Amino acid sequence: MEDQRNNQASAPEPTDSIRGAGAHPSILELPRIILASGSPRRAEILKTVNWPFKVISPDIDETRYANEDAVTYVQRLALAKAEAVAQRVTGSPIVAADTTVVIAEQILEKPSDQDDARRMLRQLSGQWHQVITGVALIDSSTSESRVACETTEVKFATLSPDEIDWYVSSGEPMDKAGAYAIQGLGARFVEGIRGDFFNVMGLPVRLLYRMVQELAPNGARTSLSA
């Protein structure tokens, strides 16, 4: 689950040096996408991999349904975000994502308060858990869509009560699923990871790249270009 701050970030078109001049540009060039998310972390990821984008934040109800499992939950929200933005734009591929944390089959959403954040961190302490991100991609020119998810396993070190109190007092856990940020202060507590690091941040880049390739006929970039 990500926050809905109105972050109108965007990234420039890739330069020829990054694209790799003359090296199969129709395959390697990335389409400019609409990021249906107010998450600064997802925008940061796209900037890091030089994927051109524009942000349009969706406004949807993110309440989890009763007895809804984690994969269904994040995929449903990702698609709902993408569909909400698809009603406002045409001609550009729209990408949305939603992330949650699961430990012992229990879904850890954003903490409701500091005590809830402490509870979550005590659960994660010394344990492996899963970070699951649902990703939705809509080609707004054809209304064709794809939905998928990525799972990464993360191992937390054993945390002392003082470490938990310090981390909660920093404020970082309060708007994060599972009450931590792997790219922030919470990195010092991560002992191991199996899978896509960017997935833990909120946007699995390799999965998104594959989805874009699959949606474009014959892998062509032009059909998904803005």
Side-chain angles (χ1 to χ4, degrees), residues 110-120 168 173-174 179:
K110 297 176 188 177
S112 57
D113 54 31
Q114 290 192 344
D115 286 341
D116 196 32
R118 290 187 182 93
R119 176 188 64 81
M120 292 183 184
V168 171
M174 300 315 298

Side-chain angles (χ1 to χ4, degrees), residues 19-92:
R19 287 173 178 168
H24 305 290
S26 64
I27 297 175
L28 298 181
E29 292 179 17
L30 299 170
R32 186 171 187 268
I33 62 174
I34 301 296
L35 178 62
S37 174
S39 166
R41 290 169 288 281
R42 294 191 177 110
E44 178 186 347
I45 290 170
L46 291 176
K47 289 178 182 177
T48 297
V49 300
N50 208 58
W51 197 315
F53 70 98
K54 175 182 178 181
V55 168
I56 300 180
S57 298
D59 182 15
I60 67 164
D61 180 2
E62 298 191 15
T63 304
R64 184 165 66 97
Y65 296 157
N67 301 317
E68 188 173 30
D69 66 83
V71 170
T72 302
Y73 176 43
V74 295
Q75 290 190 149
R76 175 178 63 81
L77 287 189
L79 184 59
K81 292 175 184 179
E83 289 176 338
V85 170
Q87 297 176 5
R88 298 156 56 186
V89 299
T90 58
S92 297

Side-chain angles (χ1 to χ4, degrees), residues 128-131 151-155 192-196 199-200:
W128 283 95
H129 63 272
Q130 294 181 318
V131 180
T151 299
T152 301
E153 295 183 331
V154 180
K155 171 71 180 301
I193 181 171
R194 298 172 183 156
D196 188 337
N199 183 53
V200 187

